[in-house]
Amino acid sequence: MTDGSAVKVAFVGAGSVVFTQGLLADLFAFPELARARIALHDIDPDRLATAEGAARHIAQVRGAGPEITAHLDRRAALADADFVVNIVQVGMNEATRTDFAVPARYGLRQTIADTLGIGGIFRALRTFPLLRSLAEDMAELCPDAHLLNYTNPMAMNLLHLSRIAPALKATGLCHSVYWTMHDLSQLIGVPFEEVTYLAAGVNHQAWVLRFERAGQNLYPLLDETIARDPELLRRVRVDMYRRLGHYPTETSEHSAEYVPWYLHHPEEIERLRLPVGAYLEIIEENTASYERTRDALASGIPLPVEGTLECAPQIIHSITTGTPRTIYGNVPNRGLIDNLPADSVVEVPCLVDALGVQPTRIGPLPPQCAALNSAYVSVTDLVVRAATDGDPRHIRHAAMADPATAAALPVERIWDLCDDLVKAHGDLLQPELRALLGH
């Protein structure tokens, strides 16, 4: 594949306008992709119209000449696609507020609630039906396309896809490794361009295994920086790094939710400045950003066109042109990390070129890191089994195995909470999982 003008990229959930804008700005920055075919899909006609208007504006500013189409019908957008970018959020803000409000009545604290924990579990369960129908449509309409997934919970979604559609070429994409290394380099005063690094683990809980400049280990410089600034000790990821020996690749707000040590303890929330319910503010800002974009387009006010350095446009460019790159992807393990289950989903560096996405074998993780990842992938496995087996008991089993949930609630309250969330999300769940089990 070398002719970028022939490439078709379908965006599923294009009504996530701000994210779609950034991806398109990156895509159109590549001259080889300036005349690509862009198919935008969303079920919300107003958001879809805004996405289309933004796409045409970005193309104009970038000097690109793509073919842009907008579709309320997903199948029309997918037909003959070479790449499918999934950025859907099933249930939108209302469902996310439910993920916070119901557990809060039980005294269960969350910060982001999109990856693990009770919020991640139910976010996955309402996303799985969409993923199944998307995979079925792709098998029929664009069987050779690459699915580039941004929708969280990443590991649960990719594991579900690997089990229901093993032939699908799916890669999960997240910017956490890149920005962690960018910010760590800035923190220690070393130009990012001079840094080399290796990270691996699971999405939002990978570990910086190597952090170097010209072959020199930079971890001692990080230690010195932390020693000079005691306020850095008041961050979860720094606390985890000091105790585990490897820096985690996701923010403190995220990282606190995947372990049992922090959110259940008010003194730790204070010590580590944890913003309980932080994602509720984020979704309000996302809504406000969408509304600003919509209103600016309606008024003819120029929109800023800024790149985001996201991986999907780089992957599309590399596969289309054969330009080799390394990105971090979420893929089935299959021997990549020795001390995690072979059928789990892991986050590792991947070579991308004309042959596609080719993951790097890591070997074993440090045992203390693998232990935390193992708890994470156990929850992920149970959530996916709930959907693939049609067994609602596995929802409860997943919540019981979840570190943060189990630290906060006795087991009967965990089952009650699951019942309440099943009732609250109702028709968004597949029918077999709507049973209330009580005790």
Side-chain angles (χ1 to χ4, degrees):
M1 185 184 298
T2 57
D3 183 3
S5 65
V7 172
K8 180 176 179 180
V9 183
F11 286 79
V12 178
S16 302
V17 172
V18 176
F19 201 47
T20 301
Q21 283 180 276
L23 292 172
L24 289 173
D26 288 347
L27 198 72
F28 296 151
F30 292 114
E32 300 92 338
L33 300 175
R35 302 187 66 81
R37 295 178 293 153
I38 305 298
L40 306 173
H41 161 68
D42 204 277
I43 61 173
D44 183 321
D46 293 334
R47 281 183 169 266
L48 180 61
T50 301
E52 181 182 7
R56 296 189 184 282
H57 171 76
I58 293 165
Q60 181 181 26
V61 172
R62 286 288 200 222
E67 175 189 317
I68 297 171
T69 57
H71 309 270
L72 290 169
D73 177 6
R74 185 179 68 212
R75 289 174 59 85
L78 292 176
D80 300 319
D82 299 293
F83 300 92
V84 178
V85 180
N86 180 39
I87 46 180
V88 168
Q89 182 182 349
V90 175
M92 294 292 287
N93 294 350
E94 181 180 355
T96 299
R97 293 189 187 98
T98 297
D99 286 340
F100 278 91
V102 176
R105 295 202 295 265
Y106 285 75
L108 182 59
R109 301 182 181 100
Q110 300 178 98
T111 47
I112 307 295
D114 72 350
T115 298
L116 211 63
I118 199 71
I121 290 169
F122 277 85
R123 191 181 183 104
L125 293 172
R126 63 178 183 266
T127 304
F128 289 166
L130 176 279
L131 293 178
R132 180 178 287 276
S133 61
L134 176 61
E136 291 171 349
D137 283 349
M138 288 182 64
E140 177 187 349
L141 300 168
C142 52
D144 294 325
H146 291 263
L147 175 61
L148 306 177
N149 179 73
Y150 278 103
T151 295
N152 284 321
M154 184 66 68
M156 295 184 191
N157 288 341
L158 266 292
L159 184 63
H160 186 250
L161 285 169
S162 75
R163 290 183 179 172
I164 66 168
L168 184 67
K169 294 186 286 190
T171 305
L173 301 178
C174 177
H175 48 232
S176 63
V177 173
Y178 173 85
W179 286 111
T180 291
M181 301 316 302
H182 179 278
D183 293 349
L184 276 182
S185 301
Q186 188 174 60
L187 181 65
I188 65 174
V190 174
F192 179 63
E193 296 75 18
E194 299 178 13
V195 169
T196 55
Y197 58 89
L198 174 67
V202 294
N203 182 240
H204 289 177
Q205 198 187 62
W207 312 95
V208 180
L209 304 178
R210 295 177 64 181
F211 181 28
E212 300 173 359
R213 176 174 60 177
Q216 178 186 8
N217 183 11
L218 292 175
Y219 264 135
L221 191 54
L222 177 60
D223 294 338
E224 294 171 12
T225 303
I226 293 170
R228 288 195 303 269
D229 185 357
E231 284 299 298
L232 289 173
L233 298 174
R234 298 187 63 203
R235 301 299 293 154
V236 162
R237 65 201 312 198
V238 174
D239 192 73
M240 292 178 68
Y241 161 59
R242 289 177 60 241
R243 300 176 193 280
L244 297 167
H246 293 276
Y247 203 81
T249 63
E250 190 45 80
T251 64
S252 293
E253 292 78 9
H254 277 279
S255 295
E257 292 188 309
Y258 315 145
V259 294
W261 314 316
Y262 300 119
L263 282 169
H264 183 51
H265 306 285
E267 65 275 14
E268 289 294 83
I269 291 174
E270 173 65 24
R271 177 175 77 91
L272 298 167
R273 298 175 291 179
L274 280 169
V276 174
Y279 196 65
L280 294 173
E281 297 179 7
I282 293 172
I283 63 173
E284 294 303 327
E285 175 53 33
N286 288 343
T287 299
S289 295
Y290 160 72
E291 291 173 349
R292 287 194 295 270
T293 299
R294 179 199 60 200
D295 295 345
L297 287 167
S299 303
I301 300 172
L303 295 172
V305 177
E306 300 175 356
T308 58
L309 301 176
E310 288 289 351
C311 290
Q314 297 177 55
I315 290 175
I316 294 168
H317 182 261
S318 285
I319 293 176
T320 301
T321 65
T323 304
R325 285 185 176 85
T326 297
I327 59 96
Y328 275 78
N330 291 270
V331 294
N333 189 8
R334 296 173 187 163
L336 300 173
I337 296 179
D338 291 344
N339 46 357
L340 292 180
D343 67 343
S344 61
V345 167
V346 295
E347 187 166 73
V348 296
C350 302
L351 168 67
V352 189
D353 59 18
L355 297 177
V357 178
Q358 304 155 67
T360 301
R361 186 179 186 279
I362 300 298
L365 293 176
Q368 69 276 21
C369 298
L372 294 185
N373 286 170
S374 294
Y376 176 121
V377 300
S378 293
V379 177
T380 297
D381 174 68
L382 286 165
V383 177
V384 172
R385 287 181 187 277
T388 57
D389 297 354
D391 188 345
R393 293 172 300 175
H394 284 326
I395 301 174
R396 284 76 180 173
H397 298 155
M400 291 163 62
D402 179 72
T405 305
L409 298 176
V411 69
E412 288 192 1
R413 296 291 283 164
I414 291 173
W415 279 53
D416 290 341
L417 171 58
C418 289
D419 274 359
D420 281 353
L421 282 167
V422 166
K423 286 187 288 186
H425 286 302
D427 292 344
L428 294 178
L429 307 182
Q430 66 192 66
E432 305 96 316
L433 300 183
R434 298 172 193 170
L436 306 180
L437 301 184
H439 300 299

